[in-house]
Structure formats: structure tokens, C-alpha cells
Amino acid sequence: MPRTERARASLLTAAVVVTAASLILAAQALQPRPPTLLSGITLSLVIEGPGWTITHQNNDTVNNTVFLFLLEAARTRHFTLEWENYSPPLSAVFIIAINGARNGDAHQYWQFWVDSVYGPTAADLAVLRGGETVLWKFDVSEEG
């Protein structure tokens, strides 16, 4: 391949890499962030695992996403919590296990509902405003 063709190919490759990196950074910047709370809100949590239930309530929490409130409950109620952080462009948290119950066991997975509405997004992107009840359930995958 002549030098000019190699140079063009190198420039094209560099342009593609720069464009892809720019798109990933833009997607991260545009992702919604939960508002910082100046005072606490009231939230309730119920976790239904295989043969066990954990409940947690806080009348003054500043953890205003489903994930942050679950993390608070794990620290307060002393149960294990495992999650995976997905990289851009998704940049979201995926719950892998709660209190030893792991996704895939008996074809069941962790899913959440807020006030009986199935979680439409990742737990760290689901913003809570106060007064909600969050249910985490270890069940067959919700279709929908």
C-alpha cells in the first residue's frame, strides 16, 4: 500500500476513534443525575428473597435513588449486596446478588418496583422523591 493510502487510512482511523470517544463522553454528560437533597425524605424498602424478607424504612434519608437506598439498607441491616457498574454508553448499575441470592439461580433475577410500578431503568437512575415504597423481588424475569 503506498504511503499516501496508509496516511489516509491512519487519519480515518484516528477520526473514527475521536468521534467514538466524543459520543461516549457526550452520552455520559447528558445522563440524568439525581438532585442533591437539602433535607431528608421518607422511603420504605421491602426485599423478597427465596424464603426470606428484609424491610427497611428511613424517615430522613438523602439517598434518593433506588440503588442508593438499597445500599443504605444493606449497610444498616447488614446483608450482602453485589452489583456491577456498566461502562458507557449505558453507565448504569446492575444488581447481581442480594443477601446471597444471585441472578440466574433457579432462573430468577433481581427486579424492582416503585409503588407497584416495574422499574423501567437501572436502579441508580431511578430517582425517588419521597414517600415511595421500593420492592426488590427475586423472581423470573419480568417481560415487557
Side-chain angles (χ1 to χ4, degrees), residues 47 52 70 79-82 95-101 110 136:
I47 305 169
W52 50 263
L70 178 63
F79 59 86
T80 58
L81 179 63
E82 296 177 48
I95 301 301
I96 297 171
I98 299 176
N99 200 36
W110 285 108
W136 280 93

Side-chain angles (χ1 to χ4, degrees), residues 53-139:
T53 300
I54 297 171
T55 61
H56 177 69
Q57 181 169 342
N58 189 333
N59 294 326
D60 194 29
T61 185
V62 293
N63 293 313
N64 62 337
T65 68
V66 169
F67 174 67
L68 289 176
F69 194 58
L70 178 63
L71 192 58
E72 172 188 310
R75 290 177 179 153
T76 303
R77 303 285 181 222
H78 307 290
F79 59 86
T80 58
L81 179 63
E82 296 177 48
W83 68 90
E84 185 173 321
N85 292 310
Y86 279 89
S87 301
L90 183 57
S91 296
V93 169
F94 182 68
I95 301 301
I96 297 171
I98 299 176
N99 200 36
R102 299 185 76 67
N103 282 343
D105 291 350
H107 305 288
Q108 295 179 319
Y109 296 85
W110 285 108
Q111 302 161 79
F112 73 91
W113 288 258
V114 176
D115 291 338
S116 301
V117 177
Y118 184 73
T121 187
D124 61 320
L125 301 176
V127 176
L128 302 168
R129 309 239 183 275
E132 295 97 336
T133 297
V134 177
L135 168 65
W136 280 93
K137 194 170 182 182
F138 193 60
D139 207 350

Side-chain angles (χ1 to χ4, degrees), residues 1-17:
M1 179 183 313
R3 285 187 186 171
T4 56
E5 287 182 34
R6 282 190 199 136
R8 286 184 190 151
S10 294
L11 283 173
L12 178 60
T13 301
V16 168
V17 168

